[in-house]
């Protein structure tokens, strides 16, 4: 009985090997690289309209700094340039185009989840696309809410200092609490993708194991990838000035593989419980 978690992980890995999961991960990585800057254009326009541009920039920078160093160094200069732009043209057709391009990454995630869970897509294409566009808008709003949290965090701490005799150790605990909230938001985002995107709805308790597996493996993979790039990998010698872009694309690919693996873990658990049929392997 105690071996069943290992068996579930093995079954999830075997299901990935027998499907097009790795090819789909490459598609997700490519669309993510294409989508990240259009998403930031949309975020810059929205934050500029709401008057919270500096706060949203701080939030995005905090999020990017969680990535491996070389990936962050590649993305941050362009992110700062995009998010500090105040071109009024971003609020016209260019913004709609950016929103459409950014939604392609959500479409890729949906395809991967439907494949992992063995679901068909019963909804018409326009409803699917609207849900992808809605996911981008909701994601931008979440970023703006997080930006408010980033700004209000020190204000809240100063208020607590005025009310209570707190020490430096309490300040450390308060900072840990803020990062804990960020981790909960990350898990909530993954859970929302698994819940909202596939062609069928699954119970939250059925989705949580794979989401936790993805989050834990992603944290470990980010650390290992940073160590590899810093000590073993030499992408600049191979790709020249494109080394930073290639590093970013490889990391997106690894993240996509772990995202799909989490879905496969959920599917393996559901099959083990008799709540899902066996998935047919892809031949060819």
């Amino acid at each position: 009985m105690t071996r069943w978690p290992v068996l579930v992980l093995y079954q999830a890995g075997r299901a990935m090997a027998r499907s097009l999961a790795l090819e789909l991960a490459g598609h997700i990585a490519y669309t993510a690289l294409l989508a990240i800057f259009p998403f930031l254009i949309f975020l810059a326009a929205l934050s500029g309209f709401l008057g919270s541009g500096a706060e949203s920039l701080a939030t995005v920078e905090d999020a990017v700094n969680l990535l491996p160093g070389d990936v962050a160094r590649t993305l941050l200069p362009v992110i700062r340039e995009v998010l500090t732009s105040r071109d009024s043209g971003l609020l016209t057709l260019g913004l709609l185009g950016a929103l459409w391009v950014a939604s392609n990454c959500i479409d890729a995630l949906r395809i991967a989840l439907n494949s992992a869970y063995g679901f068909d897509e019963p909804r018409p294409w326009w409803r699917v696309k609207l849900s992808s566009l809605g996911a981008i808008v909701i994601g931008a709003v979440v970023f703006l809410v997080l930006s408010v949290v980033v700004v209000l965090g020190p204000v809240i701490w100063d208020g607590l200092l005025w009310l209570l005799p707190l020490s430096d150790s309490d300040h450390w605990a308060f900072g840990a609490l803020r990062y804990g909230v960020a981790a909960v938001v990350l898990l909530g985002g993954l859970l929302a993708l698994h819940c909202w995107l596939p062609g069928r709805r699954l119970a939250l308790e059925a989705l949580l194991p794979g989401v936790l597996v993805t989050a834990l493996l992603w944290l470990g993979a980010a650390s290992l990838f940073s160590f590899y790039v810093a000590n073993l990998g030499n992408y600049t010698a191979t790709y020249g000035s494109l080394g930073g872009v290639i590093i970013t694309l490889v990391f997106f690919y690894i993240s996509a593989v772990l995202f799909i693996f989490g879905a496969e873990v959920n599917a393996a658990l559901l099959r083990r419980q008799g709540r899902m049929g066996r998935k047919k392997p892809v031949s060819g």
Side-chain angles (χ1 to χ4, degrees):
M1 294 294 293
T2 57
R3 294 173 55 188
W4 71 264
V6 176
L7 181 61
V8 166
L9 295 177
Y10 168 75
Q11 291 172 344
R14 185 178 64 175
M16 288 188 68
R18 300 174 68 190
S19 68
L20 297 176
L22 298 181
E23 289 79 2
L24 283 172
H27 178 55
I28 292 172
Y30 175 71
T31 55
L33 190 61
L34 290 181
I36 185 171
F37 298 114
F39 172 75
L40 291 173
I41 289 173
F42 175 75
L43 181 63
L46 184 60
S47 61
F49 178 76
L50 298 176
S52 58
E55 293 84 354
S56 63
L57 174 59
T59 303
V60 174
E61 288 184 343
D62 286 343
V64 172
N65 284 327
L66 297 176
L67 303 176
D70 290 89
V71 177
R73 282 190 290 272
T74 300
L75 295 178
L76 278 176
V78 187
I79 287 174
R80 293 190 182 103
E81 180 179 354
V82 170
L83 286 181
T84 53
S85 172
R86 286 295 176 267
D87 186 356
S88 60
L90 294 178
L91 294 174
T92 59
L93 292 178
L95 175 59
L96 297 178
L99 188 60
W100 185 274
V101 172
S103 70
N104 290 335
C105 181
I106 303 298
D107 293 334
L109 293 174
R110 174 183 292 103
I111 293 171
L113 289 174
N114 279 332
S115 176
Y117 291 123
F119 293 162
D120 294 323
E121 182 53 71
R123 296 167 291 183
W125 71 269
W126 58 269
R127 281 192 59 187
V128 171
K129 197 62 180 179
L130 282 178
S131 69
S132 297
L133 294 171
I136 294 297
V137 174
I138 292 173
V141 172
V142 169
F143 261 109
L144 293 179
V145 171
L146 288 177
S147 70
V148 174
V149 173
V150 169
V151 173
L152 291 182
V155 176
I156 294 173
W157 173 252
D158 290 340
L160 291 175
L161 282 179
W162 185 74
L163 293 173
L164 302 170
L166 299 176
S167 63
D168 291 338
S169 60
D170 296 318
H171 187 274
W172 179 89
F174 182 75
L177 177 62
R178 290 178 64 196
Y179 282 106
V181 171
V184 170
V185 170
L186 172 63
L187 290 174
L190 287 172
L191 196 60
L193 291 174
H194 282 260
C195 182
W196 192 9
L197 294 185
R200 283 173 49 195
R201 295 290 183 265
L202 292 170
L204 292 180
E205 60 268 19
L207 300 174
L208 190 57
V211 167
L212 290 174
V213 167
T214 295
L216 292 175
L217 290 180
W218 186 86
L219 291 173
S223 300
L224 291 175
F225 188 76
S226 298
F227 176 81
Y228 171 77
V229 171
N231 297 279
L232 301 175
N234 190 357
Y235 286 84
T236 303
T238 305
Y239 296 100
S241 59
L242 293 176
V245 176
I246 298 301
I247 290 173
T248 303
L249 191 58
V250 170
F251 182 73
F252 282 178
Y253 177 76
I254 294 172
S255 300
V257 169
L258 297 180
F259 178 81
I260 297 175
F261 182 71
E264 293 287 2
V265 168
N266 287 335
L269 284 170
L270 290 171
R271 286 192 294 270
R272 183 180 180 86
Q273 298 165 7
R275 298 165 60 187
M276 181 178 292
R278 293 186 176 276
K279 187 168 61 173
K280 295 180 181 180
V282 175
S283 60

